[in-house]
Amino acid sequence: MRTLPAFLMSSGLLAAALLGQPARADTTVPSLDKARSAIQTEDARKLYDSQMSGAPRPDGLGVALPAGFSREFLVQQLAPGEDPRRLILAGAKPWPQRPDAYVAMVCMAASPERAQRLLQYGGGDCDALSGADQNAVWVGVFSAPPGQPPTLLARTDGPVATPTDWSQTDIDLPADLAMQDAGAPLESLPSKWTRFDLAAYKIAPGDVAFGLRAGWSEGYSGGGADFEALYLFRLDGATLRVVFAQPMSFVKSIAGDWNPDGTRQHDMSDASNTLVILPGKTDGFFDLQLRQRGDTWRRTFKWAAATQSYR
């Protein structure tokens, strides 16, 4: 997990910020080996496992490229003019909602030197590992009928620059947001991009979006937290646009009192949302609603013509 500055870990500031956030410490467990059993939602358990388990993770970004795709080709098509030595990761996956179509992405470090370090220490994931340099991600859609080379259909105009909006959510905030000045925008670009989400996000008749999951990890003395957001992309001619970017789940472990046997108690909290497409429409697009699993929290998003996205 990403480590926070030492002065935060050693002071009461971090604990105050973390414990003052929307979600409670739902369960106190006597030791860390009991932590997973206290997590209440499946999505949060997956976040926890991705950090705590040594098992290989699924290829959520399609790094094992389909036939006809290569890392060099994807950089050239999705990030033309960028230095290919900055490449950390390239991925592509079939898009089940559109015949012979593939979603794809490239993840680029701020410099070739930074890319080399991330490839060496980051395991090839699209994870910045620290707040010093943010990686840049380009996303696109290709057509590739059997026996034919891939053809670019649409791509983002540049690296994804839409922040996740934490202003109206039931999901706990990352510490960087929780501790910023009052009145500052509760927005944050992810520190990592983890997997394509290719569920059937039919946002309008004949118009299906696809998802990309992104996240944040933070570590602090005796514990840590993981957060996940969902980005939805829509084809608008030859441009691929972000139309939705909201927090979806979190899991947090905060170390507590020491036990006589040397183990340590942990306060565990988590929450996960599911996205529901409602029958009602705004400007021709179906309304979307986030619903917290196991709770009554709801938040509805409607299409905003001015921004061509959900608000």
Side-chain angles (χ1 to χ4, degrees):
M1 292 183 178
R2 186 167 47 156
T3 302
L4 292 173
F7 81 91
L8 292 181
M9 295 191 293
S10 61
S11 71
L13 295 176
L14 179 60
L18 295 174
L19 294 175
Q21 290 180 18
R24 296 81 43 215
D26 296 314
T27 307
T28 299
V29 295
S31 58
L32 189 58
D33 63 329
K34 307 293 184 185
R36 191 182 188 279
S37 63
I39 300 172
Q40 299 177 18
T41 64
E42 182 62 27
D43 286 348
R45 279 191 287 272
K46 290 178 180 177
L47 287 179
Y48 185 80
D49 289 345
S50 71
Q51 292 294 338
M52 303 300 290
S53 171
R57 283 176 285 181
D59 186 7
L61 292 173
V63 176
L65 295 173
F69 291 88
S70 69
R71 289 165 57 89
E72 297 76 14
F73 172 77
L74 288 173
V75 171
Q76 181 188 55
Q77 293 291 306
L78 298 181
E82 300 296 328
D83 187 344
R85 296 177 300 167
R86 292 171 49 205
L87 180 67
I88 304 168
L89 178 149
K93 276 183 168 290
W95 186 6
Q97 315 307 328
R98 186 167 180 152
D100 301 325
Y102 291 78
V103 297
M105 59 89 72
V106 292
C107 177
M108 313 277 281
S111 68
E113 295 74 23
R114 179 70 175 163
Q116 191 171 39
R117 289 195 295 271
L118 289 174
L119 289 169
Q120 182 176 358
Y121 299 110
D125 295 331
C126 186
D127 189 339
L129 295 184
S130 74
D133 292 305
Q134 285 289 338
N135 297 328
V137 170
W138 285 258
V139 186
V141 175
F142 291 83
S143 175
Q148 298 183 30
T151 302
L152 182 65
L153 296 179
R155 69 179 179 215
T156 52
D157 285 337
V160 176
T162 303
T164 300
D165 179 7
W166 299 78
S167 63
Q168 300 184 67
T169 184
D170 59 319
I171 300 301
D172 270 25
L173 278 64
D176 290 349
L177 287 180
M179 299 184 69
Q180 68 183 10
D181 294 338
L186 291 177
E187 298 178 343
S188 178
L189 281 170
S191 65
K192 60 183 176 181
W193 300 83
T194 57
R195 61 187 173 95
F196 283 111
D197 181 344
L198 301 177
Y201 293 111
K202 186 177 181 180
I203 59 174
D207 197 340
V208 180
F210 69 88
L212 188 58
R213 296 284 179 147
W216 300 254
S217 293
E218 55 194 30
Y220 23 92
S221 180
D226 279 281
F227 309 83
E228 185 174 69
L230 170 63
Y231 279 66
L232 292 183
F233 293 82
R234 172 184 177 252
L235 276 77
D236 183 6
T239 301
L240 197 60
R241 301 189 188 280
V242 176
V243 297
F244 181 88
Q246 290 291 320
M248 293 296 286
S249 59
F250 88 98
V251 61
K252 184 179 294 181
S253 172
I254 298 177
D257 296 335
W258 290 97
N259 300 313
D261 63 358
T263 59
R264 195 174 185 183
Q265 298 176 23
H266 282 74
D267 291 330
M268 303 297 299
S269 55
D270 70 279
S272 297
N273 294 331
T274 184
L275 184 63
V276 177
I277 299 174
L278 302 176
K281 295 178 187 174
T282 302
D283 289 333
F285 289 82
F286 293 114
D287 298 336
L288 305 181
Q289 187 176 79
L290 286 177
R291 298 177 182 177
Q292 184 176 335
R293 298 180 189 274
D295 197 88
T296 59
W297 183 88
R298 302 285 188 271
R299 171 75 168 89
T300 300
F301 299 83
K302 296 179 181 292
W303 185 259
T307 61
Q308 290 293 290
S309 63
Y310 282 92
R311 290 290 185 264

